[in-house]
Amino acid sequence: MSGLVHLGIIMDGNGRWAKMRNLPRVAGHLEGLKSLKKVIKGCIDEEIRYLTVYCFSTENWKRPASEVNYLMALFTNKVYGEIKAISSLGVQVRLLGNRSALPEAALKALDRTREETKNNDKLILQLAINYGGHDEIVRAVNSLIKDGIKEVSAELIRSRFDNPDIPPVDFIVRSAGEERLSNFLLFDSAYSELGFYDKLWPDWDEDMIKTVKQDFLKRTRRFGGLT
Ligand code: IPE
Ligand code: IPE
Ligand code: MG
């Protein structure tokens, strides 16, 4: 039985959480950030080495500007704002996604966070921001074309991803009941296990990670072979 090395989370249901409380949608995003902190601790407790969280998709620009701006402000202020706590836990922060449309201030804060946490190795946290599975593959292929490469392979494509040193995701879980990937980790999810949970993202905590890990350990992975 292999352990859970890389967990991916589609953090969904912030808007519904807020709506149930007659709060503006963005209140759900702020509460979701608190869940993320608890979940990071849970991952460290469960000895999960890589955590990739879906924060903003390449499709989320379709939302009202006020919501998009609020989320961009969270990425700008709250990530670097937590640098002390992040570092004391031994978390290394990486950005996964297309930098081109992100505000300069957000990029600066994320790059600074990456730089200041680069020697931490307890948990590698990938923040998927302006991330899309299609965009990831297209950017990789275009970078190969730019280098004059005439024929690609799966390995070559993957080598041009943002963080090719991070192993493929073992388990992708999604909160809030929707059963779809919504363009998350399309290439690396080829053989990952999938788990869908009804609990809304702002209600997740350390204990949910215990449940998630137990659920994963019950799965039998075959990768196309036989057990
Ligand atoms: C997930 O929560 C967070 C982001 C996509 C940024 P949602 O905002 O999608 O919440 P629901 O799905 O509307 O409840
Ligand atoms: C996926 O959630 C993106 C993130 C969690 C950041 P969405 O709420 O955007 O996905 P759909 O629109 O329900 O598929
Ligand atoms: Mg949603």
Side-chain angles (χ1 to χ4, degrees), residues 157-192:
I157 292 172
R158 198 180 186 284
S159 74
R160 297 296 172 103
F161 284 175
D162 292 334
N163 299 306
D165 57 313
I166 296 183
V169 61
D170 295 300
F171 195 21
I172 295 178
V173 297
R174 182 168 186 149
S175 58
E178 240 71 68
E179 299 188 359
R180 55 175 171 262
L181 288 176
S182 303
N183 208 7
F184 188 50
L185 304 179
L186 296 188
F187 193 91
D188 273 354
S189 60
Y191 273 100
S192 55

Side-chain angles (χ1 to χ4, degrees), residues 10-12 54-57 60 63 174 180 182:
I10 302 171
M11 307 184 291
D12 199 17
Y54 207 4
C55 304
F56 192 91
S57 74
N60 285 147
R63 296 188 179 197
R174 182 168 186 149
R180 55 175 171 262
S182 303

Side-chain angles (χ1 to χ4, degrees), residues 11-16 25 29 55 60 63 67 71:
M11 307 184 291
D12 199 17
N14 294 352
R16 277 163 277 176
R25 286 180 54 83
H29 296 318
C55 304
N60 285 147
R63 296 188 179 197
E67 183 171 343
L71 286 165

Side-chain angles (χ1 to χ4, degrees), residues 174-215:
R174 182 168 186 149
S175 58
E178 240 71 68
E179 299 188 359
R180 55 175 171 262
L181 288 176
S182 303
N183 208 7
F184 188 50
L185 304 179
L186 296 188
F187 193 91
D188 273 354
S189 60
Y191 273 100
S192 55
E193 298 293 322
L194 306 175
F196 301 98
Y197 298 86
D198 286 335
K199 201 187 271 277
L200 304 176
W201 177 249
D203 293 324
W204 280 49
D205 59 11
E206 292 92 332
D207 283 345
M208 264 311 277
I209 299 305
K210 281 201 180 81
T211 304
V212 159
K213 184 164 174 182
Q214 281 164 11
D215 290 349

